[in-house]
Amino acid sequence: MKLTNHGYTFGGVPVTELSKNFGTPLYVYNADVIRKNYHTLKNAFSGVDVHLKYACKALTNINVLKILQQEGAGLDTVSIQEAKMGLRAGFQPNDILYTPNCVSFEEIQEAVSLGLIINIDELSTLERFGNEYGGSVPCCIRLNPHIMAGGNSHISVGHIDSKFGISIYQVPHIKRIVDNLGIHVNGLHMHTGSDILDADVFLRGASLLYEAAKSFEKLEFMDFGSGFKVKYKEGDITTDVNDIGQQIVDSFKKFCLEYGKELQLWFEPGKYIVSNAGHLLVDVNVVKQTTSTVFAGVNSGQNHLLRPMMYDAYHHITNVSNHTGVERIYSIVGYICESDTLGYDRKLNEVRVGDILAISNAGAYGFSMSSNYNSRFRPAEVLIQNQKAVLIRKRETLDDLLQNQIEVDLV
Ligand SMILES: *Cc1c(COP(=O)(O)O)cnc(C)c1O
């Protein structure tokens, strides 16, 4: 978002025009930012054969998938449904990595029949996979390097108590299963979480994977997952992708030399690609003065943006209707019957009933985690390209809420 003389614009479109034309609550995404983020990250790893698999659980609107397909990305999916969305969007099956956790073996079989790249994160599943397919279907193995990414265990998935991946200490057991059943392991994978701040943590995980790679002769790629930290507020420490990129490239080149083959280097960014490409626009319903604070109550809440409640995440909030108003302190809360605070003690230009607030960094894990709790409709979605906004998901109706309900004769 940019502040011009005439107020805030996003992708060249005045933000209040977006809310006027499409209503609120509204998710807006800027296609140019998505494309730019993709290339910034890809270029940070120049010098090796790098492939980015967009972790689509961050934002699955089919138009966003198509944008990334156009740019040359692959897809990282965590469910068969995400993979099928990817196929609909035009991805080839062998561009889609399927990285499930605790799914049924039947779902993995379906993924094989669709031709997806299979990532296995559990020993008994690996064994079953080998019994079923032998070496006829290659698979990648998800290792847990037990690296603690950042301080927030809600986000961190590589630590000792995590349910994800096969422990790096179990490589000898993996090797046994692989050798006995003739499994073709084509890749090794780790994803330590979403809070990695510096190259050191990444490289520590990487070196553990390099060590493990010595046990597998037919590797084609190494997948270092994600963990790129994005800026949520001024002063946040973020991943410097160019700095981390060149350090990883150097270490990866050295590894390939030792391994005796030039492997592909894969990453699975979600947040990095779409987080700052999206805002959630909401309307102020109520300004409520209490004995301790002023609440700005908006027509949205944890049903539309769960991250503040679920992860205690900070999302910057701007009053886009009154950019010249004096600043005051507010708590911005939702209309859901839970204490769904979107932001505590925020300095905003004076908020009046009817003002539009923009909640930033809403591209990743915004709409995709939204629900119909309190029987509220989920927001509509809009895409901005070339300074034009188009609707990419219409607003729900009461019929949508009742669509799959079956009214029966009550006795
Ligand atoms: C969620 C997830 C990602 C993406 O994480 P971000 O923090 O959004 O970049 C990547 N890989 C796997 C396996 C995931 O589950």
Side-chain angles (χ1 to χ4, degrees):
M1 252 179 10
K2 256 200 206 119
L3 183 56
T4 71
N5 288 339
H6 310 291
Y8 285 94
T9 62
F10 186 46
V13 185
V15 177
T16 47
E17 197 173 289
L18 292 167
S19 57
K20 201 173 342 149
N21 292 345
F22 299 99
T24 61
L26 186 73
Y27 273 104
V28 287
Y29 313 118
N30 185 341
D32 297 339
V33 175
I34 295 174
R35 292 182 206 272
K36 187 174 131 265
N37 288 343
Y38 171 78
H39 290 290
T40 302
L41 194 57
K42 186 147 201 277
N43 292 339
F45 297 96
S46 60
V48 289
D49 189 9
V50 66
H51 294 251
L52 302 185
K53 310 277 172 192
Y54 168 56
C56 71
K57 74 176 189 285
L59 174 58
T60 39
N61 187 289
I62 193 150
N63 299 283
V64 172
L65 301 186
K66 283 181 177 176
I67 288 170
L68 286 153
Q69 198 271 337
Q70 274 183 354
E71 296 304 319
L75 217 55
D76 177 55
T77 63
V78 293
S79 73
I80 199 79
Q81 290 82 6
E82 279 188 354
K84 286 177 180 175
M85 296 268 287
L87 292 170
R88 285 266 187 107
F91 287 92
Q92 295 301 309
N94 62 3
D95 283 332
I96 301 177
L97 177 65
Y98 172 68
T99 301
N101 175 259
C102 294
V103 299
S104 71
F105 195 72
E106 286 69 31
E107 192 172 303
I108 293 174
Q109 286 171 314
E110 194 181 352
V112 170
S113 70
L114 290 172
L116 312 179
I117 306 158
I118 309 295
N119 196 357
I120 290 182
D121 98 326
E122 200 264 318
L123 278 173
S124 72
T125 306
L126 181 67
E127 217 162 333
R128 199 158 164 196
F129 191 86
N131 282 325
E132 180 107 356
Y133 302 108
S136 66
V137 178
C139 72
C140 171
I141 291 176
R142 178 172 189 171
L143 293 171
N144 183 342
H146 307 302
I147 299 272
M148 189 73 185
N152 189 335
S153 63
H154 291 299
I155 302 182
S156 170
V157 293
H159 55 87
I160 199 97
D161 273 343
S162 168
K163 66 168 185 162
F164 296 100
I166 304 174
S167 169
I168 196 97
Y169 302 113
Q170 290 175 306
V171 168
H173 193 174
I174 297 172
K175 177 82 178 131
R176 261 222 171 121
I177 295 170
V178 165
D179 286 349
N180 277 292
L181 301 176
I183 298 171
H184 175 183
V185 177
N186 61 352
L188 294 183
H189 170 277
M190 68 165 184
H191 169 65
T192 51
S194 298
D195 234 9
I196 290 179
L197 293 175
D198 57 44
D200 283 354
V201 183
F202 232 120
L203 290 172
R204 239 171 45 228
S207 66
L208 291 169
L209 244 66
Y210 297 153
E211 187 58 34
K214 291 180 183 159
S215 298
F216 306 95
E217 289 113 44
K218 292 188 193 159
L219 296 179
E220 287 149 36
F221 62 88
M222 297 285 261
D223 183 343
F224 289 159
S226 187
F228 305 104
K229 194 167 162 63
V230 301
K231 185 159 97 180
Y232 284 88
K233 59 171 179 286
E234 283 312 315
D236 265 1
I237 305 169
T238 58
T239 306
D240 179 344
V241 294
N242 288 311
D243 173 52
I244 201 176
Q246 278 323 297
Q247 294 192 54
I248 292 174
V249 163
D250 289 346
S251 88
F252 192 70
K253 276 185 172 161
K254 216 175 340 159
F255 157 72
C256 288
L257 219 58
E258 280 167 25
Y259 189 74
K261 186 176 163 193
E262 291 210 0
L263 302 188
Q264 294 181 353
L265 175 59
W266 291 11
F267 290 97
E268 305 164 344
K271 211 179 264 176
Y272 188 89
I273 305 284
V274 292
S275 178
N276 70 346
H279 297 282
L280 173 60
L281 305 185
V282 299
D283 230 290
V284 177
N285 284 340
V286 173
V287 178
K288 179 174 181 172
Q289 179 95 47
T290 69
T291 45
S292 61
T293 187
V294 184
F295 286 106
V298 301
N299 64 344
S300 185
Q302 67 171 31
N303 53 329
H304 298 156
L305 185 64
L306 188 57
R307 298 189 77 255
M309 294 304 289
M310 184 147 158
Y311 303 123
D312 207 13
Y314 178 99
H315 285 260
H316 196 70
I317 302 176
T318 311
N319 183 355
V320 294
S321 303
N322 189 23
H323 68 275
T324 54
V326 285
E327 289 186 323
R328 295 190 62 195
I329 308 288
Y330 297 91
S331 283
I332 296 90
V333 293
Y335 62 3
I336 291 299
C337 289
E338 303 278 345
S339 353
D340 58 341
T341 304
L342 295 163
Y344 282 107
D345 288 350
R346 299 297 181 82
K347 217 193 265 176
L348 263 67
N349 297 110
E350 186 181 4
V351 176
R352 305 150 309 180
V353 170
D355 278 354
I356 302 297
L357 307 187
I359 306 175
S360 298
N361 283 97
Y365 309 105
F367 189 93
S368 67
M369 292 180 100
S370 68
S371 77
N372 289 115
Y373 187 45
N374 280 199
S375 293
R376 293 291 183 183
F377 303 142
R378 288 178 299 169
E381 290 177 293
V382 157
L383 184 72
I384 300 172
Q385 342 182 57
N386 294 330
Q387 320 204 353
K388 280 209 183 64
V390 286
L391 190 67
I392 56 171
R393 183 192 296 268
K394 59 185 180 189
R395 210 164 279 292
E396 292 176 334
T397 65
L398 199 62
D399 286 340
D400 291 318
L401 298 186
L402 289 164
Q403 193 184 5
N404 290 330
Q405 296 193 29
I406 299 168
E407 290 188 66
V408 297
D409 292 332
L410 299 174
V411 291

